Amino acid sequence: MATPLNETCATLERSLRERVPPLLTDLYQFTMAYAYWRAGRHNEPAVFELFFRDNPFGGGFSLFAGLSDCLLFLLNFRFTSEDVEYLRSVLPVDTDPDFFTYLKGLDCSAVSISAVAEGTVVFARVPLMEVSGPLAVVQLLETSLLCLVNYSSLVCTNAARFRLAAGPERRLLEMGLRRAQGPDGGLTASRYTHIGGFDLTSNALAGHLFGIPVAGTMAHSYVTSFSSLEEVWPQILAPCGGGDPIDFMCLVKGWLGHVCQLLGAKPQGVREGELAAFLSYAIAYPRNFLPVIDSYSVGCSGLLCFCAVALALCELKYQPLGVRLDSGDLCRQSVEVRHAFRECSKRFSVPAFESFIIVGTNSVSEQSLVELSKRDNEIDVVGVGTHLVTCTSQPSLGCVYKLVEVCGRPRMKLSEDPEKSTLPGRKAIYRLLDTEGHPQMDLICLSEEPAPKVGVPLNCHPLGLDKAALSIMPAKVTSLRSDVFSYGKITLPLCSATESRVCAQSSLQALYPHHKRLQEPEPYRVAVSERVHSLVSDIKMGNSKGSNFLLSN
Amino acid sequence: MATPLNETCATLERSLRERVPPLLTDLYQFTMAYAYWRAGRHNEPAVFELFFRDNPFGGGFSLFAGLSDCLLFLLNFRFTSEDVEYLRSVLPVDTDPDFFTYLKGLDCSAVSISAVAEGTVVFARVPLMEVSGPLAVVQLLETSLLCLVNYSSLVCTNAARFRLAAGPERRLLEMGLRRAQGPDGGLTASRYTHIGGFDLTSNALAGHLFGIPVAGTMAHSYVTSFSSLEEVWPQILAPCGGGDPIDFMCLVKGWLGHVCQLLGAKPQGVREGELAAFLSYAIAYPRNFLPVIDSYSVGCSGLLCFCAVALALCELKYQPLGVRLDSGDLCRQSVEVRHAFRECSKRFSVPAFESFIIVGTNSVSEQSLVELSKRDNEIDVVGVGTHLVTCTSQPSLGCVYKLVEVCGRPRMKLSEDPEKSTLPGRKAIYRLLDTEGHPQMDLICLSEEPAPKVGVPLNCHPLGLDKAALSIMPAKVTSLRSDVFSYGKITLPLCSATESRVCAQSSLQALYPHHKRLQEPEPYRVAVSERVHSLVSDIKMGNSKGSNFLLSN
């Protein structure tokens, strides 16, 4: 399925190089790198893990995303002379000049990464990426990797929730560019909401770069830019199959009279500008007629104008597409609009009117989509902007990047806040499936432990407070992570957005519905092996005994 | 104050060109542009206005930001052949090929912009930018301009609120890169939170590109990467004034004993790794010692290690900087830490201990900053990440871009939702000041109206429901917008982030405190002139009479 790097990703790679220079990080990464370098520790082999502590939006799962961006970033990780000169100007004056020479020579050729596949369903506390390499280098990568994973995973998860709320059939259109955190926020949102389950985007650049299907026809400003039928030019249109152009405006005016009569509407309520706008658009794009019909009043003008123009198009053998509703009660209006379409179809014997799509776009949130799905409605495509891209109910994921091993020795952050403690040591992560193939538990083991065996019971310790040890017998065991970057080289083909979308949807499909409930889901079990559990206990014990270097000295 | 374009902005301009290609927009801008072009209307002179409908965060004001980015975007607005080929592949097949030739030749040489200065205090419903030019071109600019203004203004306003909550003295550090919407979200946040009132950023690239002061020393991972004093190398340090290096570790160990005694702490509670980390950092950066002291326990280890290392540095005539607290109750801990510093200062006669700074960074929100300001605390610098950059309480501003004039004729969107209606016609915007120089009201006039005169009463109509007409006599009148872009050229020097920050702070300073209250502010008055009011009434009247083109035909 996946496509080799050099085919799909040349543009992406170029764009990433500009967007994520290695200077795009927190200053303290450099001061720490210097301190390591100064102490001769910079090349000590170190391992960091990236994970998040809670599933977002009060949900029971997340989707992991941002991996390809991370890999392209690593591939291009190199400081320019200009970068280094800037650092020289802001680091303390007593920084040894040789450190800057060291920085100039840095790259990720000694870095390796094991990670979950892009788009996989994942859970809180599970290490999603393991980054290993020289201590100073892997430290320098922290902020950029977090920045690339945090929002991508968050917005991808948000999109998956919108998809669950919408059901599998309704098409979802992402249109959040104008409300995102600037240009790149918008581009990231388009890519990762597609992976999370959206079908279409309004973002043309995302279409170009990522191959996501794009959609869009007109805004209210187009409609209000017309005030009179005199602005319509040309007023003629040739039939679809060819032939002499006919007076399209005249045809539409005729149909408008019939439509008003059929729907019991007053012709004087029809806005001339709106009819002019629809006419003009239909003449420009007779095969793609899908106007926004609520610039003035759906019932008194927009719907009538649409039906008249659509009937005229049908008479010329074109197939109009449908309408967009952008304000008010979308459910109620969609039902009324559908009713009108059916009336037209019957009365004028135009079966095309039975298959028009109705697009709804009006500050749609997850909650309003859930409500919409419960009510009678005729909306085929839902467009979502603000609430999707800004992730209103929880605008950040809170991924962290924690040191777990240096020079082969486990490291652990002990916090007075127990949930902020980390799990020490280098790990292997297994997903245990039940007999029906549904994920049952994620198991965090030390990397040197043997993998769990199918049909062999194993003891483990679920994470979370007051969770008792338990025994589990897996029906199937999969390794959750694979090696994706090895000593400076990408070792697996990068997935396109479409490929990752397939992975996300099948990963979600396998998950039990009770874990996917949008509200109060059944928590999915994440556990550590007995050996991880013992290691944590040993380190805590060592800690409680304290160090005696001061006394012994 | 402002610097010419070619001096400060070369890097920015280059970066913008990559970040905001003209394809970064909604697809419907192209379908509309085509429909205009097809109807021969693409060159009709048109005017759009950019504004927002409500001040964010339940507040009484906003700051306008993103203007320089908009101007650089306009300057570079040009489609590449690759862009055009992509559009050809996604627009309907019946699109006239000449349209693509037209797109290839497009630029903003016929576009002009009048706008509020970057960083100015602004209010809901006031048109902040007026974009005029050929209909199809100014339509194509919509999404990109909104994308560049929306988040910049939102995060700038959020920063101003954090500044108000913190009071004028406390220093504020932005550190949200890892939680922003990807790389560019983080960069935008760093720039515009500085303009809104933050002093420092952790983002090195923002420091480089925008000249914002950068700050940062170490993370917990640095501390936990050490486990033993054997990892400290070198263990010697020369005194500040010069001279033979002395055994610094030995010196620190001596001080640690004294500190434990003074503060009544048990030496066996001290974490050897934490002491090793501090020692190593101090040896690397003896002039910039500011460690994070809560990796294990502030009272039992971090604070003791800090005091010991700092006392040793002071003995060698270095001046340590202070400490960072990153968890728990920042207020309480800062008071305890300050108390310990004072004890050390007294007991060991080290006055430097009186001037250490305490940095607090722990999920700080506007609300927690308000609470912090009310409680006893000793925090000198507050670092804010997630809640600042994601604008948690309202993650989008909702700027809109509305057509107000075509071919010299006013345009208005009439909505069934009255607050979604627009104000027709081309405008001039005045800020009326009272005798003390405080802004009193923003007045929206038609551009052909004479400006309000000082000392002459004028009648106007405040915006909002059920607002009665009123008469006001301005003591001073300023024009709120100026021409910033004229026929493809930037006509005012672009401001640096620092210059815009000065503008923002003085603009905020002039505003009455009751408008700046974070909760339940006194609404600031925005009104339309009698002529705007009449124009709206006339258009509504025309609408209610309906159009009779259908009947007359």
Side-chain angles (χ1 to χ4, degrees), chain A residues 25-27 31 39 41 139 150 178 181 202 204 217 221 224-225 233 270-271 295 386 396 411 414 543 547, chain B residues 25-27 31 39 41 139 150 178 181 202 204 217 221 224-225 233 270-271 295 386 396 411 414 543 547:
Chain A
T25 187
D26 292 311
L27 184 74
T31 52
R41 296 190 60 204
Q139 179 69 67
N150 253 327
R178 64 188 66 189
Q181 286 185 6
S202 70
T217 56
S221 58
T224 57
S225 83
W233 182 92
V270 171
R271 299 280 307 177
S295 296
T386 310
S396 71
R411 285 289 180 275
L414 289 159
N543 183 48
S547 54
Chain B
T25 187
D26 292 311
L27 184 74
T31 52
R41 296 190 61 203
Q139 179 68 68
N150 254 327
R178 66 188 64 188
Q181 286 184 5
S202 69
T217 56
S221 58
T224 56
S225 82
W233 181 90
V270 171
R271 300 280 306 178
S295 297
T386 311
S396 72
R411 283 290 179 275
L414 289 159
N543 183 50
S547 56

Side-chain angles (χ1 to χ4, degrees), chain B residues 3 26 57 65 203 249 266 326 377 397-398 421 425 428 456-457 518 523:
Chain B
T3 324
D26 292 311
F57 315 119
N203 183 338
M249 185 183 295
K266 291 183 188 139
D326 187 43
N377 75 79
L397 179 56
S421 291
V456 178
L518 298 179

Side-chain angles (χ1 to χ4, degrees), chain B residues 72 141 146 175-176 201 213 318 338 341 343 399 409 484 517 530 533 541:
Chain B
L72 292 172
L141 302 175
L146 286 174
M175 37 180 265
T201 180
Y318 291 103
R338 186 70 75 201
F341 289 168
E343 291 289 299
C399 272
R409 290 194 306 272
V484 293
R517 270 202 308 265
E530 293 209 294
H533 190 73
M541 191 84 74

